[in-house]
Each structure stands twice: as C-alpha cells, then as structure tokens.
Amino acid sequence: QVQLVESGGGSVQAGGSLRLSCAHSGYTFSFSSCSMGWFRQAPGKEREGVAAIDSDGRTNYADSVKGRFTISEDNAKNTLYLQMNSLKPEDTAMYYCAAQRYCSGPSLVLSAFGYWGQGTQVTVSS
C-alpha cells in the first residue's frame, strides 16, 4: 500500500530556506511518466500545485515559486524533496506530498494525483 509521509516543515523568517521531505513506500516511481509532486493549501484558499517531477526527470513549477523552489527525488532513498529558498509570507501553507496512481507526467493539477500525505506546515514570517 502506498504511504507518503512529509517532514521538514516549520517556522522561518522571510528570505530564509526550508527543505521538505516526503518519504514514500509502496510506490514505483521508476515507471515511465510516473510523477510525484508538492501541493499547498493556505487558510481560506484552495489547494494548489507547487511543483512536480516525473521519473524521467521532467519538472513543472508554479509561476509563483519558479526560481525559488526546486523539486527532486532520490529513488535510492525513496524520498521526494522540495528545497524552498527566498521564502515569502505568501508561501505560508500546509504542504502536501502526492503521487500519481495513473502515470501522466509532472502535472500540477490536483486530480492527476491519487495518493496523498497528511501534510506539513510551513509558516513564513515577515
């Protein structure tokens, strides 16, 4: 059974950095076009795609984080990462790790992902 567990969230000052991790088990990321991603949801807002990566190394980023965030996956460690630099208060949200059940590439669309973690909170203060 697929299990995703996020970690690395916390409180940081604007301009700072955090690295989120998602330990996954029971998921075959190496399958062609299979993707994992990070989504976030701020209070009063809908969940939105932040970054995604597929097994071929293709990536996709939301415009709001492009140039600041980097997604990567270490298959040997079964861990997905999100390196977040130059954090802004608007990055404050619950961050969720997700994996595709039906492999379709690095999509930022919520419905493209079938497996979800419980989330880790990121709070950026000014």
Side-chain angles (χ1 to χ4, degrees):
Q1 188 170 72
V2 175
Q3 185 175 37
L4 307 174
V5 182
E6 302 96 332
S7 63
S11 297
V12 66
Q13 296 169 22
S17 299
L18 281 174
R19 186 179 70 169
L20 305 183
S21 298
C22 172
H24 59 88
S25 61
Y27 187 71
T28 309
F29 182 71
S30 60
F31 282 172
S32 182
S33 297
C34 283
S35 300
M36 296 188 72
W38 290 95
F39 293 76
R40 67 187 182 188
Q41 187 166 20
K45 300 288 186 66
E46 293 187 341
R47 194 170 299 186
E48 64 175 350
V50 175
I53 186 170
D54 73 3
S55 59
D56 296 315
R58 294 179 295 182
T59 58
N60 197 3
Y61 295 93
D63 288 340
S64 60
V65 307
K66 197 170 293 183
R68 298 188 298 120
F69 291 9
T70 302
I71 188 170
S72 62
E73 208 279 338
D74 188 335
N75 204 43
K77 295 181 179 179
N78 293 321
T79 303
L80 178 74
Y81 301 96
L82 183 67
Q83 179 65 48
M84 305 185 293
N85 298 325
S86 301
L87 283 162
K88 304 175 180 179
E90 49 263 47
D91 293 318
T92 295
M94 183 72 75
Y95 283 71
Y96 299 90
C97 174
Q100 293 182 330
R101 179 179 180 183
Y102 303 107
C103 304
S104 60
S107 175
L108 295 180
V109 178
L110 208 72
S111 61
F113 294 80
Y115 304 110
W116 295 86
Q118 292 298 105
T120 184
Q121 179 68 40
V122 171
T123 302
V124 184
S125 62
S126 60

